[in-house]
Amino acid sequence: MYAPERQQEILRLAREGGRVDVLSLAEEFQVTAETVRRDLKALDRAGLVRRVHGGAIPAGRLDFEPDLAERDAVAADEKQRIARAALAELPGGEDGAGRSGSVILDAGTTAARLAAEIPLEAELTVVTHGLPVAARLADHPGLTLHLVGGRIRHRTRAAVDDWALRAYREINADVLFLATNGFSLDGGLTTPDLAEAAVKRALIAAARRVVLLADSAKFGQQHFARFGELSDVDLLITDTGLSPDDALAIERAGTEVVRA
């Protein structure tokens, strides 16, 4: 396959899937990662894609938001490792048992995986506006589970708007497990939807400690609605796809980093 043909196919994949990553493209086209990076650079110069950490997204798609099932299938192994590492951050139990305290679980696929990992014997107060998160915790006998209401966004199954904002203004939780669509040192924390962003800002204000759960593919991505800075985050739990240099830069800016 000639370079222009390969680049056209890369563009098609980016537009269909919302993003492409270097390693998957290299495997699919049986070329080196450096060849793929040159292809993405050429497409970026042509204004057809925008390069992000580890890959690219279609130009003009800062508001692109895959549906829940599609997002859950992306970086599934990395998200599972992140969720297991996050257990150590539950209040009241360094072994991940979560014996006391209160937590907020943001809506998101990694947060839902964390919910599934919380032991049945955990004794916590949990607040969430994410329907999938609440569904995974509803049968835990030791939990006091609060489901925040509001308008449900079909794409994320999350409650947003005034009802959700009012509820979170009344909460002082020990730990927030926060989700994001993109994060970077310069661009901060971003998501495609303004209503989701407003709720996330309320979450940050409602917790004494903020733990960001984000796979490394989201590093360098910037979306339409900005809801915070990395300095708002006490701890980032990500995967080993985030380079040691990037992790060091984030820590120098004041956020602890765990690469699971």
Side-chain angles (χ1 to χ4, degrees), residues 176 178 189 199-208 210 227-228 232:
L176 160 65
L178 180 67
L189 309 171
V199 172
K200 289 177 185 293
R201 279 192 292 271
L203 300 184
I204 292 171
R208 287 182 283 276
V210 177
F227 62 88
D232 295 325

Side-chain angles (χ1 to χ4, degrees), residues 4-253:
E5 295 175 307
R6 186 173 58 248
Q7 290 166 14
Q8 186 65 34
E9 183 65 10
I10 290 173
L11 180 60
R12 183 187 68 80
L13 292 170
R15 286 173 172 169
E16 287 184 356
R19 71 166 285 130
V20 289
D21 69 87
V22 170
L23 296 181
S24 296
L25 291 174
E27 182 177 355
E28 178 162 345
F29 294 112
Q30 294 296 295
V31 296
T32 65
E34 186 55 40
T35 296
V36 172
R37 291 189 184 96
R38 286 196 296 268
D39 288 336
L40 295 179
K41 186 176 181 179
L43 291 168
D44 185 281
R45 283 199 305 265
L48 298 172
V49 303
R50 186 171 71 83
R51 296 176 73 189
V52 297
H53 183 75
I57 62 175
R61 296 298 296 278
L62 290 180
D63 60 344
F64 177 79
E65 189 176 17
D67 64 26
L68 200 64
E70 182 179 344
R71 285 189 291 119
D72 191 44
V74 173
D77 291 342
E78 290 84 351
K79 290 175 180 177
Q80 195 64 36
R81 294 200 304 272
I82 292 167
R84 287 172 180 161
L87 286 174
E89 302 305 316
L90 291 174
E94 293 183 0
D95 58 357
R99 293 189 177 87
S100 64
S102 56
V103 303
I104 300 171
L105 284 178
D106 195 0
T109 55
T110 310
R113 288 174 181 268
L114 170 58
E117 292 290 328
I118 293 176
L120 281 173
E121 64 271 19
E123 297 179 359
L124 294 166
T125 297
V126 180
V127 184
T128 186
H129 60 289
L131 296 183
V133 173
R136 296 190 181 193
L137 294 174
D139 61 350
H140 281 51
L143 297 185
T144 301
L145 178 63
H146 298 268
L147 177 59
V148 170
R151 175 176 63 88
I152 302 298
R153 290 194 68 227
H154 173 74
R155 193 163 288 276
T156 60
R157 313 296 195 272
V160 296
D161 293 343
D162 288 345
W163 284 3
L165 294 175
R166 285 200 301 269
Y168 280 121
R169 289 191 195 108
E170 299 176 357
I171 290 170
N172 289 300
D174 294 316
V175 184
L176 160 65
F177 292 97
L178 180 67
T180 187
N181 296 79
F183 68 100
S184 66
L185 287 166
D186 296 330
L189 309 171
T190 59
T191 193
D193 184 77
L194 287 169
E196 294 264 8
V199 172
K200 289 177 185 293
R201 279 192 292 271
L203 300 184
I204 292 171
R208 287 182 283 276
R209 176 170 170 80
V210 177
V211 178
L212 178 63
L213 309 179
D215 62 83
S216 61
K218 294 174 181 175
F219 182 65
Q221 289 197 42
Q222 295 184 35
H223 295 268
F224 176 66
R226 183 168 177 157
F227 62 88
E229 307 292 340
L230 264 179
S231 59
D232 295 325
V233 174
D234 298 293
L235 170 65
L236 164 65
I237 304 181
T238 186
D239 58 81
T240 53
L242 184 73
S243 73
D245 288 344
D246 288 331
L248 181 60
I250 292 171
E251 291 196 319
R252 283 174 174 165

